[in-house]
Amino acid sequence: MHERIVVAVDFSTTAHAAVRQAAFIARTTGADLHIVHIIDVFGDNPLVEIFRSAIDDVEVERRLESEAERMLREFVADIDLEDIPVRFVHARHANVVDALVNYVADVDAHLLVIGSHGRRGLKRLFLGSVAARLIRVSAVSLLVVKSSKAESISDPIDRLLVSLDLSDLSFAALQTAHVLARTFHAHMDIIHVVEPYAAPVSLTGIREIRDLVPTIIEDVRAELDDLV
């Protein structure tokens, strides 16, 4: 299923949960695990702050890499990585998303795991979302670990919700979910959402999609059955 899994680490609680979940998948599937930290040279990075006052750029780079290695190993010290081939990776780059995408391509990884901090409102608007950008540009499957689950991962994957829009990509999504469900002996729920009709009621008299297609629910069930 997966031969190489990349998990991105920013030393947050959610990243810790992402490593735990990635380790569980790696052990179950026999995959290599690459634990990656991108040193964002222009961003809010604790490693950069440590050496901000230094003058020698070469020395700064050397110490950043050394500190990143130490922090990565300490960060995962309480996670069971026994019997998992693990590689610790750190790189300096001005764009975290580009760096992760490039690294995944370089090592031919099959899954990218990241944590989502769940930022909202203006904070998300100004800071952006690494997870949201990776969803758009990642060439491999992406597993996003939510911050609300950071302290509650005990049995990482026991139930899957598969949302299908009946497009050409639906079958690929269903296949991937099926492999995951088999691997982890998980229950799988398949859902398709029938959206309400959006035409103005005052002009058309149509209140919902059933007014146009009375058998819409039955038709969708039939399509889902065929897809499965």
Side-chain angles (χ1 to χ4, degrees):
M1 178 185 171
H2 299 305
E3 296 179 13
R4 276 170 296 281
I5 298 173
V6 172
V7 56
V9 168
D10 62 359
F11 302 114
S12 66
T13 301
T14 309
H16 192 270
V19 175
R20 289 165 60 195
Q21 200 152 58
F24 175 86
I25 297 173
R27 177 175 289 105
T28 306
T29 61
D32 294 349
L33 182 62
H34 295 224
I35 302 174
V36 179
H37 173 66
I38 307 301
I39 303 173
D40 184 356
V41 294
F42 298 117
D44 182 17
N45 186 293
L47 296 179
V48 176
E49 291 296 330
I50 293 174
F51 305 114
R52 188 175 294 278
S53 61
I55 298 175
D56 188 341
D57 288 343
V58 175
E59 178 64 12
V60 168
E61 183 173 348
R62 186 191 67 78
R63 296 182 66 182
L64 280 173
E65 292 179 354
S66 174
E67 189 69 5
E69 179 80 14
R70 182 190 67 79
M71 290 180 68
L72 277 176
R73 293 184 179 277
E74 286 186 0
F75 187 70
V76 302
D78 62 336
I79 299 176
D80 182 11
L81 298 176
E82 188 177 354
D83 301 325
I84 302 174
V86 176
R87 177 187 298 180
F88 292 96
V89 182
H90 48 79
R92 299 179 70 230
H93 201 287
N95 188 301
V96 174
V97 172
D98 288 347
L100 287 173
V101 169
N102 291 340
Y103 184 79
V104 165
D106 288 343
V107 300
D108 192 25
H110 302 89
L111 178 68
L112 174 59
V113 183
I114 60 171
S116 173
H117 295 281
R119 296 189 179 101
R120 297 180 179 179
L122 288 177
K123 192 172 185 180
R124 175 165 181 166
L125 177 63
F126 287 117
L127 295 180
S129 169
V130 170
R133 283 179 282 162
L134 280 170
I135 288 172
R136 292 195 298 270
V137 302
S138 177
V140 300
S141 296
L142 182 69
L143 174 60
V144 180
V145 179
K146 298 294 291 183
S147 57
S148 60
K149 297 295 183 182
E151 297 298 337
S152 62
I153 296 176
S154 56
D155 186 13
I157 298 177
D158 56 12
R159 192 176 190 113
L160 299 174
L161 177 61
V162 188
S163 176
L164 304 179
D165 62 2
L166 300 177
S167 68
D168 293 340
L169 293 176
S170 288
F171 187 66
L174 186 59
Q175 282 182 310
T176 300
H178 181 233
V179 173
L180 283 170
R182 275 186 172 276
T183 301
F184 299 107
H185 306 289
H187 181 86
M188 185 165 66
D189 294 299
I190 300 172
I191 185 172
H192 172 80
V193 178
V194 178
E195 299 181 8
Y197 197 71
V201 173
S202 60
L203 297 179
T204 66
I206 296 173
R207 295 182 179 277
E208 58 180 35
I209 191 65
R210 283 177 181 268
D211 295 332
L212 281 179
V213 186
T215 60
I216 183 66
I217 300 299
E218 292 78 10
D219 294 346
V220 166
R221 284 202 182 105
E223 288 194 58
L224 287 175
D225 286 342
D226 289 344
L227 192 63
V228 173

